[in-house]
Amino acid sequence: MHKNTRTALATVAAAALTGGLLTFATATTAVAADSTVVAKADFNKDKKGDVATSAAYAYVGGKDAAGQVVALYGTSTGVNSTKRTVISQNTSGVPGTAETDDLFGQETAYGDFNADGYDDLAVGAPGEDTTAGEDAGSVTILWGTASGLTGTSSVTIADPTAGEARMWGWTMAAGDFDHDGRTDLAVGGNGNSLYVYKGGISKTGATGGGYTVDLPLQDSAWNLQAGDVNGDKATDLVINGDTLPDIAFPSDGLDEYVPEQNILLFGNSSGLTTAGFQTLRPGFITGIGDIDHDGYGDIVSGFSWDSTYGDGSTIPYAAKGGKVWITYGSATGAGRIAGITQDTSGVPGASETEDGFGADLDLGDVNGDAYLDLVVGVPGETVDGYSATGSVVVLYGTANGITGTGAQSFHQGSAGVPGNNEDGDLLGIDVKIDDLTGDGRADLVAGSDENGNGAVLYLPSSGGKITATGSRSISPTSVGVSTTNYPSFGWNFAD
């Protein structure tokens, strides 16, 4: 298959200027299991958050872009290269075999699918060839244990719409969509429908049943993000894609094409439904969590495109250098809307063409004040003359939502941060903030390009802020991932 466009575009993001538009295309960010807490992964049940990241283009067993996933386990000093598990389709117990362009790990989602108390990991391999045809795709469940993720007894769950070029596992999200106390898994591929596997997924590959959701999109869903927006305890789902022209922004009266549209589907006792769906502000990357601590999940979407096309025409809702839209939740779903850019008061830096502000983002509580904070990736940021070296910006939540007050910015030239700024490093191509030390404060991890090999930067919480003290960089070779043919390690953190 051809390499997945979402990541392939990011490979050349520093130069991917098509008609004057810089495109950053990465996979999904964090997910909130309910409205008030952003769920962290804990694969070994030690109460410290874990990070699963992919190296979807990893060279495995002589096969290019076969793919691997790497679990980095939390410790009292955060994640490091030592406490880890690396799994591919050549790992004992994992179904299938590592093959060229399988892209195992291109998309991932975590949740306790078999209700044993350990988080598990669903792994998509959209380039997998099966008996259904070339690039049919597959989804494998890796089980959590006291020792962490394992390939033992892992299973591939069946695609109910199997077919050639289906690319099953292209996008996924986990949540309790029908509020029955079990974790469900929504999976998409090529085509404008999703399939939801109901909770109760077992080590035999059986599920609690399932259903298809036909989406009001022109084509495939690009990204899925799950969280409880209206506070009814059933998980809702934000879907990114190109909507049909007659439903795009009806309340705003726009009839023009708007890229990277988001729609909100609500969960209920019957599961996800398109009835009463809501259209949201655009943004390729989305996170959901209760920023202002009012009991409703808030939706943050990163619209990292610049404000105009190459011909000078305006892109609706975009901004120079990128913009993050925040839609605050309410009992009826989408509520008040606010936007934030690098020109917002207090936000470090300035809005500049091709910054890519919002190319990735995530929510978590850095300072333990019960208001969720927001980290924003700015992979196109030029620092000290280094083009697209990238940065990450941390914005702090309040009772009034996200503001620029007290915001921080880090890059590889910041004091105490390992590494150096270089052209095309793309720091912030993916970001995540979770409590990785077990102290109740969210720490930050950020992915970068590093010559196509990738890397993961760890920045801990000091208890009140993100700090460079105790930071470290984790390279692919340090965790046992080959750098042959550019594995893209750290470009996709699991949701």
Side-chain angles (χ1 to χ4, degrees):
M1 64 165 282
H2 295 293
K3 288 185 176 181
N4 187 314
T5 344
R6 291 185 297 173
T7 304
L9 282 173
T11 307
V12 292
L17 192 59
T18 305
L21 182 63
L22 181 66
T23 302
F24 292 97
T26 63
T28 55
T29 57
V31 82
D34 59 49
S35 64
T36 56
V37 178
V38 176
K40 67 182 179 185
D42 189 0
F43 302 119
N44 54 8
K45 205 168 64 171
D46 66 354
K47 299 184 180 179
K48 297 179 179 67
D50 305 320
V51 174
T53 188
S54 69
Y57 295 107
Y59 192 82
V60 180
K63 307 297 182 181
D64 188 29
Q68 292 172 302
V69 293
V70 180
L72 303 172
Y73 302 109
T75 72
S76 60
T77 59
V79 292
N80 56 55
S81 60
T82 303
K83 194 173 181 181
R84 69 179 193 265
T85 302
V86 182
I87 295 177
S88 74
Q89 286 184 290
N90 280 356
T91 299
S92 177
V94 177
T97 302
E99 299 166 315
T100 300
D101 289 337
D102 276 350
L103 298 180
F104 182 78
Q106 175 63 39
E107 183 72 334
T108 50
Y110 59 75
D112 185 3
F113 298 117
N114 61 353
D116 66 352
Y118 297 94
D119 279 326
D120 312 305
L121 188 70
V123 181
E128 179 93 65
D129 297 341
T130 73
T131 55
E134 185 177 355
D135 298 340
S138 67
V139 174
T140 299
I141 306 295
L142 305 177
W143 304 110
T145 71
S147 301
L149 286 179
T150 179
T152 302
S153 301
S154 57
V155 294
T156 297
I157 50 179
D159 174 6
T161 55
E164 185 165 294
R166 175 60 169 156
M167 299 184 73
W168 197 237
W170 168 277
T171 189
M172 297 187 290
D176 187 2
F177 303 115
D178 54 8
H179 189 37
D180 67 352
R182 299 182 295 179
T183 303
D184 311 315
L185 180 65
V187 180
N190 187 20
N192 60 351
S193 66
L194 302 175
Y195 189 79
V196 179
Y197 299 93
K198 297 184 69 173
I201 301 172
S202 74
K203 292 184 178 180
T204 66
T207 71
Y211 55 93
T212 298
V213 181
D214 293 321
L215 304 175
L217 299 176
Q218 293 187 48
D219 204 343
S220 308
W222 286 96
N223 278 311
L224 307 177
Q225 289 298 315
D228 182 8
V229 176
N230 59 5
D232 67 354
K233 306 304 180 185
T235 306
D236 309 312
L237 189 69
V238 172
I239 300 166
N240 171 263
D242 296 333
T243 55
L244 300 172
D246 60 342
I247 66 168
F249 295 110
S251 61
D252 293 344
L254 287 175
D255 57 4
E256 57 196 300
Y257 168 70
V258 179
E260 308 306 349
Q261 180 65 69
N262 287 314
I263 58 174
L264 171 62
L265 305 187
F266 293 103
N268 58 41
S269 59
S270 299
L272 289 172
T273 176
T274 58
F277 74 86
Q278 296 178 349
T279 308
L280 308 170
R281 291 291 165 89
F284 191 88
I285 295 297
T286 297
I288 304 175
D290 187 6
I291 295 168
D292 51 6
H293 198 51
D294 65 353
Y296 302 107
D298 307 311
I299 303 166
V300 290
S301 294
F303 199 18
S304 57
W305 295 34
D306 282 311
S307 54
T308 57
Y309 292 109
D311 62 4
S313 59
T314 299
I315 301 176
Y317 301 114
K320 180 181 179 180
K323 188 168 189 174
V324 171
W325 286 105
I326 306 171
T327 302
Y328 291 92
S330 73
T332 56
R336 67 184 176 96
I337 301 171
I340 194 162
T341 70
Q342 283 187 288
D343 284 342
T344 299
S345 177
V347 178
S351 295
E352 300 163 319
T353 302
E354 303 178 24
D355 275 350
F357 182 81
D360 207 85
L361 46 77
D362 195 17
L363 290 164
D365 188 359
V366 172
N367 52 17
D369 64 356
Y371 301 114
L372 293 186
D373 310 310
L374 174 67
V375 60
V376 180
V378 197
E381 185 94 77
T382 295
V383 180
D384 296 334
Y386 294 99
S387 176
T389 190
S391 68
V392 292
V393 172
V394 184
L395 305 167
Y396 288 89
T398 70
N400 296 318
I402 293 290
T403 73
T405 301
Q408 299 173 277
S409 177
F410 296 91
H411 53 81
Q412 291 184 96
S414 298
V417 174
N420 298 286
N421 286 322
E422 301 169 309
D423 289 340
D425 271 352
L426 300 176
L427 179 67
I429 197 71
D430 204 356
V431 294
K432 193 167 180 60
I433 45 176
D434 275 331
D435 177 14
L436 305 177
T437 63
D439 67 354
R441 306 291 192 270
D443 312 295
L444 188 155
V445 289
S448 62
D449 178 72
E450 300 298 332
N451 300 314
N453 294 323
V456 172
L457 173 65
Y458 166 73
L459 296 168
S461 169
S462 67
K465 292 277 188 178
I466 294 297
T467 178
T469 303
S471 61
R472 63 183 65 97
S473 182
I474 302 171
S475 70
T477 53
S478 71
V479 296
V481 171
S482 170
T483 55
T484 300
N485 293 349
Y486 313 112
S488 300
F489 170 70
W491 282 30
N492 176 8
F493 299 121
D495 296 342

